[in-house]
Amino acid sequence: MIKILVGGILSLVIAMGIARFSYTPILPLMQSDMSFSNKVAGYLATSNYAGYLIGAVLVGILPLKKRRKAVLRLSLIFSVITTAGMGLFQMYSAWYTCRFISGFSSAFVLVLSSSIVLDKLAEKEKTNWSGLFYGGVGVGIFLTGITIPILNHYFKSLF
């Protein structure tokens, strides 16, 4: 049970805390470095929200019960790839696509990891541990909030 709980926490750290919410501290830095408008910044956020909305609806409709872990792993892979992809491209269309897929995959991660972890906690009568699981989002947000300014300062001084 601990293994599933820790895996669920780490899933939320990656897909929600980092891939989804890291853009709060990153976006002003991107705007400064890439000189794009608030309109572009808004579209980046909106593309992520649209992906999340569609992903959340689809994951609730699709019959994934027997393949939850496999689809969760695939969603985590897409989350990591699309987060990294933001640094590889300098085209708005590529960014919008990455943010859309990131939102889509983060919805899948949230819903699937929740169903897996909460089922296991209920089975072991440890539902009071669910807060630990959902704390993974906060851990990811906290980590990005601390590391983004440090990394920005470090890399600015290198180049």
Side-chain angles (χ1 to χ4, degrees):
M1 180 186 64
I2 297 296
K3 182 178 170 184
I4 288 177
L5 179 61
V6 170
I9 291 169
L10 292 175
S11 294
L12 294 184
V13 167
I14 292 166
M16 300 300 293
I18 297 172
R20 184 152 184 242
F21 289 111
S22 67
Y23 285 88
T24 301
I26 291 174
L27 196 56
L29 302 173
M30 288 175 65
Q31 278 187 282
S32 174
D33 289 349
M34 302 303 293
S35 300
F36 59 81
S37 68
N38 289 337
K39 181 178 173 182
V40 170
Y43 286 144
L44 282 170
T46 301
S47 62
N48 185 261
Y49 301 152
Y52 187 85
L53 173 63
I54 293 169
V57 170
L58 278 179
V59 75
I61 294 171
L62 297 173
L64 300 173
K65 180 79 173 167
K66 294 180 182 178
R67 295 174 292 194
R68 291 185 302 182
K69 288 182 183 177
V71 175
L72 173 60
R73 288 182 187 111
L74 184 62
S75 298
L76 282 164
I77 290 167
F78 275 107
S79 183
V80 170
I81 290 170
T82 55
T83 300
M86 289 296 293
L88 299 176
F89 303 106
Q90 293 186 5
M91 299 176 303
Y92 298 154
S93 59
W95 286 349
Y96 299 146
T97 302
C98 283
R99 294 307 296 147
F100 179 87
I101 295 168
S102 180
F104 185 90
S105 62
S106 70
F108 268 70
V109 170
L110 178 65
V111 173
L112 293 173
S113 64
S114 293
S115 69
I116 292 166
V117 171
L118 296 179
D119 282 354
K120 184 56 82 172
L121 291 177
E123 178 185 305
K124 300 292 184 179
E125 297 182 9
K126 298 286 187 184
T127 55
N128 57 320
W129 290 14
S130 62
L132 292 171
F133 164 64
Y134 287 113
V137 177
V139 169
I141 293 170
F142 176 75
L143 289 174
T144 59
I146 288 177
T147 58
I148 298 301
I150 293 168
L151 290 173
N152 182 57
H153 176 74
Y154 175 75
F155 284 105
K156 288 267 188 199
S157 66
L158 286 178
F159 302 103

